[in-house]
Amino acid sequence: MYADAATIRRILTETGDTWAVVGLSNNEERAAYGVARVLQQFGKRVVPVHPKAETVHGEQGYASLADIPFPVDVVDVFVNSSLAGDVADEAVTIGAKAVWFQLGVIDEAAYDRTREAGLEMVMNRCPAIEIPALR
């Protein structure tokens, strides 16, 4: 219900190539680090969003979505479910086209709000698993 195949395909192939990855830092042991690398391998520009605002995989990091000085197509969320709704709301505010909640990140109310705002959304899935399957 929260991740139909058509929506997944649209986000990965038609929505745009600038992905803000919320929770991405230089901690190589975190899932966000590896997923961001896969997204880059498939031609996505990965923008790290983390309080440390670190440069990751060669891309300048920002402390928040609001700090990013250019348009973002997709907001990929690697934060605890209790914080994810606020990130989805920020994605709407900055004009993103889609929100992607990673595996284990679930907030049904945020999903509904985001869809009502006109954004595409996927929840509890991983783009690094989905994107290779499109080929």
Side-chain angles (χ1 to χ4, degrees), residues 8 15 55 71 93 101 105 114-115 127:
I8 289 169
T15 302
T55 296
T93 300
F101 280 9
V105 180
T114 303
R115 296 292 297 133

Side-chain angles (χ1 to χ4, degrees), residues 37-81:
R37 175 62 77 204
V38 170
L39 288 170
Q40 282 185 323
Q41 291 169 348
F42 281 86
K44 307 299 182 188
R45 178 182 184 188
V46 172
V47 181
V49 180
H50 190 279
K52 293 180 183 178
E54 298 174 314
T55 296
V56 183
H57 299 311
E59 287 286 346
Q60 168 65 48
Y62 298 90
S64 71
L65 290 173
D67 292 340
I68 301 172
F70 48 82
V72 169
D73 299 310
V74 181
V75 175
D76 190 6
V77 182
F78 278 93
V79 300
N80 187 288
S81 294

